[in-house]
Amino acid sequence: MIAYLEHFVHGNDAESRQDDTDGDVVSSLDGLEITTATASAGKDFGGTKFSKPLAVIRPSSAVDIARAVRAAAATANLTVAARGNGHSINGQAMAHRGLVLDMRAMENHCFRFGAENGSGGLRYVDVPGGALWEDVLKRCVSQFGLAPRSWTDYLGLTVGGTLSNGGVSGQAFRYGPQTANVTEMEVVTGRGETVICSEKQNSELFFAALGGLGQFGIITRARVLLQQAPDMVRWIRVVYSEFEAYTRDAEWLVSLREGEGFDYVEGFVFVNSDDPCNGWPTVPIHPNQRFDPVRLPSNAGPVLYCLELALHYRHSHHPSTLDMEVEKLVGRLRFVEGVKFEVDVSYMEFLLRVKRVEEEAKVKGIWDAPHPWLNMFISKSNIAEFDREVFKKIIKNGVGGPILVYPLLRSKWDSRHSVMVPESSNIFYIVALLRFVPAAPKGPHAEILVAQNNAIIQLCYNRGFDFKLYLPHYNSQENWMRHFGDKWTRFIDRKANFDPLALLAPGQKIFSRIPQPLSIT
Ligand code: FAD
């Protein structure tokens, strides 16, 4: 077993060797929709990594996926990558000279509603792994008045893609990430077997695949828990000049029980200037609202903080009761007096808010520009120092896009899943530097920003912070081992069990393909 593992673990950016028979394998997959027009599968949202696959397959079922995996397994070198919507940053959904499965080809399959343990139990929807969350939202709300409980901010992502990572937004403090809101999945493993798994059935695969970076199997269907969808949302932003006051209020809000607090809690850092991209103008919610800097205290620092909150309600809710409920909560917050913005929008409009940003960015031509993003989870014990060293110094002029920072609760994350979070306290913060790089010569080159990300990560190591990368990306085995810590052995065992040839998701660069023949002893 040890000898096998030594071979198995990725040394460095080794690439799979091309075998002359690989092309024959592709032609042997008759009946499958295959294209060698691979340009879009060779790039991603990050826009800094490029890689040419051998072929792109558009599967019409789990059977097609299992066939493709088994065909790759029969070669010495071929790898297989499921591609959701290609919204990774660092080539994670690519397969250099391998097979890419375009999961969106299955996006309209099996949407089926049901209830756990018969009609009285929790309601759910079975959705294809290649469905966009935006589509899940529209179908659930329009057909049944129901909606998933936990979201991502942006819904142009696939179910399989976010479940392979975590899936985090302003509801995660209450319901956990999207991975904690799935009760069953159908997965095609690296052995080419199609397996139904849940907490009770094939549980090891279920836990492994959730947050598993696509390493253990391809999610072809997921059972997603639902709740009653509200009609409307009161959407609020309040501004802070002190990080200490900001975190105190945010942590209080995420500690409140369902029905006693807001339904959505997020927040972001912005620059204390009139910069249209990073500063005051990014805070008002509605075009008619204006940020008035005169209200800011004279000793405010280079950056400010904004809590973003939302309360769900129904049309039948009496306006004065709603106002009272909101005031009861907002009245306890210590934000800068008078710097508050609020609007009432439909639930759909609220959940699709980032789609409007996408549309605007496409018009400006920055949606397709490089996005050297950095996503991290940082323990509560280190977040004040992170603020002093990173927000107030390294990125005090902004990152050309949102800088998210808001608290999450570790107790809502299942440690049996593969995703890694800080352990030292129940509260940790998600920090997301969502950089949009303007076309040259206007802004710094993407490489400079990648170097800045690396400097921030290094600072966290040097200071001994308890942190994890979210949507992790590493180039060395040592860093992957450090990322998984005492869960590394479990990760390796799961890999050996469910993808013994290391065929799957090669773009994560954790393992390299084991050439045949393989003997596991
Ligand atoms: P891909 O990028 O296509 O794939 C990601 C990884 O998952 C790859 O390794 C791939 O091989 C694997 N994979 C894909 N499909 C499957 C499958 N069916 N089964 C198994 N493995 C699979 N994340 C959040 O948590 N919260 C957010 O609010 C959020 N907002 C975002 C906004 C934007 C504009 C962007 C670009 C990303 C955002 N993300 C967010 C990150 C997002 O969760 C990841 O990019 C994720 O990878 C989903 O993207 P995708 O569906 O395009 O998957």
Side-chain angles (χ1 to χ4, degrees):
M1 184 69 169
I2 297 292
Y4 163 70
L5 286 181
E6 276 170 6
H7 195 73
F8 189 59
V9 174
H10 196 275
N12 224 318
D13 270 17
E15 288 180 346
S16 56
R17 283 169 288 118
Q18 188 79 34
D19 190 296
D20 289 344
T21 60
D22 291 351
D24 301 342
V25 170
V26 173
S27 42
S28 78
L29 289 169
D30 57 312
L32 267 61
E33 194 184 329
I34 301 176
T35 172
T36 45
T38 56
S40 62
K43 53 188 182 184
D44 64 17
F45 187 80
T48 61
K49 299 275 170 23
F50 303 93
S51 174
K52 190 166 166 42
L54 180 69
V56 176
I57 298 175
R58 289 177 47 79
S60 63
S61 63
V63 175
D64 284 358
I65 293 176
R67 262 187 79 195
V69 170
R70 284 201 296 269
T75 71
N77 304 301
L78 267 189
T79 53
V80 181
R83 184 177 199 271
N85 206 21
H87 276 39
S88 290
I89 299 302
N90 290 293
Q92 287 95 332
M94 296 179 192
H96 186 62
R97 291 185 274 178
L99 304 179
V100 170
L101 301 172
D102 176 2
M103 297 302 291
R104 292 206 45 204
M106 290 174 67
E107 67 190 346
N108 288 319
H109 281 225
C110 79
F111 273 77
R112 204 173 59 83
F113 290 84
E116 300 274 1
N117 309 316
S119 58
L122 283 171
R123 283 154 303 176
Y124 65 75
V125 60
D126 282 331
V127 294
L132 293 182
W133 283 105
E134 178 179 333
D135 206 26
V136 176
L137 169 73
K138 286 177 181 162
R139 290 199 194 211
C140 290
V141 173
S142 64
Q143 289 180 19
F144 296 95
L146 298 170
R149 311 186 307 179
S150 186
W151 293 100
T152 47
D153 295 343
Y154 170 68
L155 306 189
L157 309 167
T158 63
V159 170
T162 68
L163 292 182
S164 296
N165 283 292
V168 186
S169 186
Q171 306 81 11
F173 78 91
R174 176 160 300 144
Y175 298 113
Q178 291 181 315
T179 42
N181 289 275
V182 169
T183 58
E184 184 185 288
M185 294 188 292
E186 179 189 73
V187 174
V188 176
T189 69
R191 294 179 183 272
E193 294 163 348
T194 305
V195 180
I196 306 288
C197 57
S198 67
E199 273 202 36
K200 297 212 169 98
Q201 189 185 1
N202 299 306
S203 56
E204 193 59 19
L205 178 60
F206 181 71
F207 297 137
L210 290 168
L213 307 174
Q215 294 302 303
F216 310 106
I218 296 168
I219 301 164
T220 48
R221 175 179 65 75
R223 180 162 291 179
V224 179
L225 290 175
L226 300 174
Q227 63 180 188
Q228 193 73 43
D231 299 315
M232 298 290 291
V233 164
R234 167 108 12 129
W235 180 9
I236 301 165
R237 287 180 178 169
V238 289
V239 167
Y240 293 75
S241 61
E242 300 290 335
F243 192 62
E244 200 269 331
Y246 172 78
T247 52
R248 196 185 49 219
D249 281 356
E251 290 175 20
W252 172 67
L253 287 169
V254 300
S255 74
L256 297 177
R257 281 190 306 215
E258 189 162 4
E260 292 178 358
F262 286 103
D263 297 294
Y264 165 103
V265 177
E266 280 205 11
F268 58 93
V269 179
F270 63 102
V271 176
N272 189 6
S273 78
D274 61 357
D275 181 315
C277 212
N278 302 282
W280 308 323
T282 59
V283 180
I285 308 173
H286 193 272
N288 289 342
Q289 297 168 339
R290 287 280 167 274
F291 190 102
D292 184 1
V294 170
R295 293 181 177 275
L296 294 172
S298 55
N299 61 351
V303 295
L304 302 166
Y305 313 91
C306 177
L307 258 183
E308 180 172 74
L309 311 164
L311 192 72
H312 295 169
Y313 65 95
R314 302 194 65 84
H315 289 311
S316 54
H317 215 104
H318 199 280
S320 60
T321 327
L322 177 75
D323 291 344
M324 264 164 51
E325 283 170 25
V326 170
E327 192 38 47
K328 204 171 124 203
L329 291 165
V330 172
R332 288 191 54 178
L333 303 179
R334 307 288 163 82
F335 56 93
V336 179
E337 203 182 333
V339 192
K340 173 173 152 226
F341 304 89
E342 63 182 353
V343 293
D344 289 86
V345 292
S346 75
Y347 179 61
M348 293 282 260
E349 206 180 326
F350 179 70
L351 284 183
L352 293 171
R353 63 199 181 279
V354 183
K355 195 176 173 69
R356 292 193 293 279
V357 178
E358 174 182 2
E359 285 159 2
E360 282 165 26
K362 280 184 171 159
V363 171
K364 288 185 193 150
I366 52 170
W367 190 255
D368 295 324
H371 300 97
W373 287 8
L374 177 63
N375 287 271
M376 314 173 89
F377 294 140
I378 299 175
S379 171
K380 166 184 160 76
S381 50
N382 304 118
I383 199 68
E385 195 173 342
F386 190 92
D387 169 60
R388 283 194 297 276
E389 298 301 324
V390 180
F391 296 147
K392 288 196 173 85
K393 288 185 187 159
I394 302 179
I395 54 171
K396 66 173 193 282
N397 295 321
V399 299
I403 304 173
L404 307 184
V405 56
Y406 58 90
L408 296 165
L409 303 178
R410 185 172 54 90
S411 51
K412 303 287 181 180
W413 294 66
D414 192 327
S415 61
R416 296 169 298 180
H417 298 174
S418 295
V419 63
M420 298 301 297
V421 298
E423 294 285 334
S424 57
S425 78
N426 189 32
I427 292 180
F428 64 90
Y429 280 75
I430 183 165
V431 170
L433 312 188
L434 308 181
R435 302 173 184 272
F436 281 74
V437 181
K442 280 191 195 156
H445 208 266
E447 273 114 57
I448 293 172
L449 302 173
V450 171
Q452 192 180 68
N453 290 344
N454 290 336
I456 293 169
I457 296 169
Q458 197 52 51
L459 179 142
C460 294
Y461 282 131
N462 294 347
R463 303 268 170 142
F465 287 178
D466 180 18
F467 79 104
K468 296 288 174 194
L469 291 191
Y470 175 51
L471 313 165
H473 161 67
Y474 298 109
N475 284 324
S476 78
Q477 182 199 329
E478 289 73 28
N479 283 335
W480 279 114
M481 289 173 74
R482 177 153 63 171
H483 176 76
F484 285 105
D486 62 4
K487 305 272 174 24
W488 174 242
T489 314
R490 181 183 77 177
F491 199 79
I492 291 237
D493 287 347
R494 285 172 165 178
K495 184 73 174 174
N497 198 3
F498 300 118
D499 182 22
L501 296 176
L503 296 175
L504 299 178
Q508 297 282 0
K509 299 200 181 299
I510 308 173
F511 303 104
S512 50
R513 171 74 159 85
I514 307 275
Q516 290 269 38
L518 171 70
S519 64
I520 305 176
T521 53

